[in-house]
Amino acid sequence: MCESNLNKKMNKTFHSFLHQQILILLGLSLFPGLGYILLGWINDVIMPALIWYGLVIITSVWGYRLHQTFLHKSMTRTELSLWHQQLRWFFYTLFSLWTLVFLLYCRETENNLHYIAIFTQIGASVVASTLLFSDKKLYIPTLVIMMLPLTIYFAGIQQWYGYILCLFSYVFLGVLLYGANSSNKLLLKTHYQASHDQLTGLYNRSQFIDELQQTINSLKSTGHYAYLLLIDLDHFKTINDSLGHDIGDQLLVKVTERMKSHISAQHTLARLGGDEFIIISPEFNNKEDCQKAAQQFSEQLLKKIKNNYILEPHHLYISASIGINLLSNRDIKVSNFVKEADIAMYEAKASGRDGVILFSDDFSKKIEKNLEIERLLHFALEENEIKLNFQPQYNLSQTIIGCEVLARWNNKKLGMVSPADFIPIAEQTGIIIELGKYILEEAIIQLHQWNNKGLILEQFSINISIRQIFHHSFVEDVKQICMRHHLDVSLCSKVIFELTETVAAEDITRLIMIMNELKKSGIHFSMDDFGTGYSSLSYITQLPIDELKIDRSFVSNLHVNEQNKAMVSSILNLAKTFKLSVVAEGVETSKQLDFLTRKQCHILQGYYFSKAISSEEFEALYFKKKAANLSNT
Ligand code: C2E
Ligand code: CA
Ligand code: CA
């Protein structure tokens, strides 16, 4: 435990222990003090006794004010440390006053008052060692102030019993110091454990909230700005699950070391739990500087985190998503500052992870909108608001050979909502299970109807969310639906489930099992948005997939730079090696079409041919094309 550091940054919770002792000590001084006035009256030292008691009253008022300040004022770190200094001086003064009364009465042997004085002094020392043990700088000087005069007094008797009492007093002082020291150590240790994270030694959540509160108090008094960074490691769970918690823990410690080396002494770094860290910056005079510094600082931090980690025998790579929130004297709850940083961090995750995003009010609006979507999505199926559209897929001779089923939601209040907006919400909330099942059934019905009408497709692609495929009844549901609508194996084998890559990391073995089970019914699989996720190569070797869908971004940027062309060519080569068919999606221009045709990309889909259209429109298009093809031949 780093004790000196701990002492430097003691917080209000810690000081509250000392704060509680103020009133007790005031009581122990003011009431017995009255007795000393009486003794002073009996022994004709009433004037000094009254003056002494007057001093006790003045000191008590001081102590009471310190007590009230702590209770009612939200203090900055500097104010708290100033308060602590003053409190020390208050206690020194109070105990010095007891030494003063000892000096006054120890000479009064006439009525044996010296016995009372000696007892009081010993009693006060015990009180000091038991009530002040939380602060070393407090109890050591106080005990010395109390006990030294006593030892001198005993030695001054110049009798053998006086020397023995003097010696005993030293031993007693030693015992009191030892007792206070042990309690002090225990208190610091308990406080450390309650305020620090065991694994990394960083502040934990509760200590962090204290720190944040103090920073906000300070910003309220200075009008300055600071920033808050919420850092969440990307795909840490995968490392934990696949390599074990030991490696996960070691990685967290290494990441902590890197973060520590990046921050200055004025930053506060804490671990909120799991793979989530948080940083509070020092103060800045204005908002612009603060924002710029936050952006720069987090980008450099991210770079540092992303360097390779060697945890023999593993060489690991990890990125992070960082949410920034600016702290100011805004009148909101402390926890809301964290919530906002959290929202920004999730936004960074949603936009592909490995990035930094600054919180802005737009996010709050977006969240409100998402909540509205979530609320209304619950009724979407009941209200029959979800419809299916179909985007045709063409072969190289530009014949429609298949389609992708795309969901459309037309809501009374929100109008048309894009699946890019409502599918992620359906996934997060679990509605996707019911929604996905509905889409699947409607799609299968359509496939069957078309087949009966002579609209013969080679393949029929349906998007399946990972949460949906992992649902315990998914395989059974698929089988039931196929049976209910009398889909024979030949028709079933036209169905392709499109899965996205990022998904596959979660539980590969289980995913493979589910896929193989579905393959028994003839269903095929396609890797959607191929090239954008992680470890693409390892997935295609492990998962039983049949098709790759080149992500739209590569196709639409084909002519922006040579790299995209190279990427598309490599994917096509890769597919050839693994005997997979390839769909290029998002084909919008004839230039893109030319390139893909030259490269022998098997299947094409995009606005160049058609957007996703209703089933009626699809039928019309299909039969029109078919008629045209027939008349051509
Ligand atoms: P996705 O699976 O990558 O689907 C392709 C998206 O690209 C569709 O957007 C499609 O309309 C759009 N697109 C196709 N060709 C072009 C083009 O040439 N240019 C441009 N700019 N865009 C093109 P959509 O329909 O908005 O769907 C968005 C995403 O929502 C889909 O991405 C898919 O991930 C998800 N989604 C849609 N329907 C379903 C569904 O029924 N179930 C699940 N789980 N997800 C769905
Ligand atoms: Ca898709
Ligand atoms: Ca896609």
Side-chain angles (χ1 to χ4, degrees), residues 281-478:
S281 78
E283 295 184 20
F284 293 83
N285 290 336
N286 65 64
K287 197 173 170 180
E288 288 68 34
D289 287 352
C290 181
Q291 195 165 320
K292 226 163 100 190
Q295 200 80 33
Q296 249 175 19
F297 180 89
S298 11
E299 272 156 25
Q300 284 162 358
L301 178 68
L302 188 58
K303 237 191 208 162
K304 212 163 200 170
I305 293 176
K306 275 163 58 181
N307 280 335
N308 237 21
Y309 294 84
I310 304 174
L311 296 169
E312 291 303 353
H314 308 284
H315 284 224
L316 299 177
Y317 164 89
I318 198 150
S319 60
S321 303
I322 302 182
I324 308 175
N325 195 15
L326 293 193
L327 302 174
S328 61
N329 55 8
R330 258 195 303 156
D331 211 10
I332 62 170
K333 277 206 326 227
V334 168
S335 57
N336 283 353
F337 281 111
V338 185
K339 244 181 230 158
E340 290 177 351
D342 207 41
I343 290 167
M345 189 275 287
Y346 272 103
E347 196 59 30
K349 289 248 182 235
S351 41
R353 300 165 201 262
D354 185 13
V356 177
I357 287 197
L358 176 77
F359 177 84
S360 76
D361 288 341
D362 291 347
F363 290 148
S364 316
K365 284 183 203 129
K366 194 173 160 190
I367 287 167
E368 264 165 45
K369 188 170 172 223
N370 283 356
L371 283 174
E372 180 82 339
I373 290 181
E374 186 184 328
R375 195 175 63 79
L376 294 170
L377 197 54
H378 279 106
F379 308 105
L381 289 179
E382 268 171 45
E383 305 280 325
N384 211 9
E385 292 176 345
I386 303 282
K387 295 273 177 300
L388 302 192
N389 269 8
F390 305 85
Q391 190 175 30
Q393 293 176 335
Y394 291 74
N395 64 10
L396 288 183
S397 43
Q398 303 214 6
T399 311
I400 297 178
I401 55 110
C403 69
E404 176 179 1
V405 179
L406 291 162
R408 295 290 174 260
W409 179 25
N410 192 357
N411 178 263
K412 270 185 241 120
K413 190 166 170 206
L414 302 171
M416 282 301 277
V417 187
S418 160
D421 290 334
F422 74 80
I423 294 285
I425 295 174
E427 284 170 350
Q428 281 160 26
T429 52
I431 302 176
I432 194 69
I433 305 295
E434 199 190 343
L435 180 64
K437 200 163 146 185
Y438 171 82
I439 293 172
L440 182 66
E441 183 147 19
E442 291 295 302
I444 296 286
I445 294 172
Q446 189 64 72
L447 173 67
H448 197 217
Q449 278 179 3
W450 278 347
N451 203 57
N452 289 345
K453 276 187 185 171
L455 194 160
I456 311 292
L457 297 173
E458 283 174 31
Q459 59 179 55
F460 189 78
S461 301
I462 305 168
N463 291 290
I464 303 289
S465 293
I466 203 65
R467 181 152 183 191
Q468 196 184 348
I469 200 167
F470 275 134
H471 190 254
H472 62 89
S473 67
F474 183 71
V475 176
E476 196 45 43
D477 288 346
V478 174

Side-chain angles (χ1 to χ4, degrees), residues 398-613:
Q398 303 214 6
T399 311
I400 297 178
I401 55 110
C403 69
E404 176 179 1
V405 179
L406 291 162
R408 295 290 174 260
W409 179 25
N410 192 357
N411 178 263
K412 270 185 241 120
K413 190 166 170 206
L414 302 171
M416 282 301 277
V417 187
S418 160
D421 290 334
F422 74 80
I423 294 285
I425 295 174
E427 284 170 350
Q428 281 160 26
T429 52
I431 302 176
I432 194 69
I433 305 295
E434 199 190 343
L435 180 64
K437 200 163 146 185
Y438 171 82
I439 293 172
L440 182 66
E441 183 147 19
E442 291 295 302
I444 296 286
I445 294 172
Q446 189 64 72
L447 173 67
H448 197 217
Q449 278 179 3
W450 278 347
N451 203 57
N452 289 345
K453 276 187 185 171
L455 194 160
I456 311 292
L457 297 173
E458 283 174 31
Q459 59 179 55
F460 189 78
S461 301
I462 305 168
N463 291 290
I464 303 289
S465 293
I466 203 65
R467 181 152 183 191
Q468 196 184 348
I469 200 167
F470 275 134
H471 190 254
H472 62 89
S473 67
F474 183 71
V475 176
E476 196 45 43
D477 288 346
V478 174
K479 285 182 181 164
Q480 289 279 331
I481 289 172
C482 288
M483 244 162 49
R484 215 166 23 242
H485 301 288
H486 312 291
L487 236 64
D488 55 22
V489 179
S490 72
L491 204 49
C492 235
S493 66
K494 297 188 176 194
V495 175
I496 299 183
F497 283 170
E498 291 191 6
L499 304 177
T500 48
E501 260 187 299
T502 40
V503 144
E506 292 193 10
D507 189 348
I508 283 239
T509 344
R510 203 168 139 226
L511 185 59
I512 294 173
M513 247 167 55
I514 297 171
M515 287 170 82
N516 282 332
E517 192 58 36
L518 289 164
K519 284 193 105 117
K520 285 184 196 156
S521 314
I523 285 163
H524 290 89
F525 289 93
S526 175
M527 188 59 89
D528 205 353
D529 305 334
F530 189 74
T532 54
Y534 292 82
S535 349
S536 315
L537 206 61
S538 74
Y539 290 153
I540 57 170
T541 53
Q542 288 185 62
L543 298 176
I545 49 170
D546 310 275
E547 178 188 273
L548 297 182
K549 271 191 107 163
I550 304 178
D551 190 63
R552 211 171 66 209
S553 59
F554 299 116
V555 178
S556 58
N557 293 324
L558 259 182
H559 295 276
V560 174
N561 60 40
E562 286 301 312
Q563 275 162 331
N564 286 313
K565 281 187 184 167
M567 184 74 179
V568 171
S569 305
S570 327
I571 295 177
L572 287 165
N573 289 335
L574 202 70
K576 215 180 264 169
T577 316
F578 289 98
K579 300 198 171 50
L580 305 171
S581 70
V582 182
V583 181
E585 67 176 338
V587 182
E588 289 183 352
T589 65
S590 54
K591 239 174 148 183
Q592 292 163 354
L593 175 65
D594 287 347
F595 179 84
L596 292 160
T597 311
R598 252 187 292 126
K599 291 282 169 187
Q600 286 290 305
C601 179
H602 310 105
I603 306 163
L604 307 155
Q605 175 188 344
Y607 292 175
Y608 176 82
F609 303 100
S610 168
K611 291 193 169 188
I613 47 183

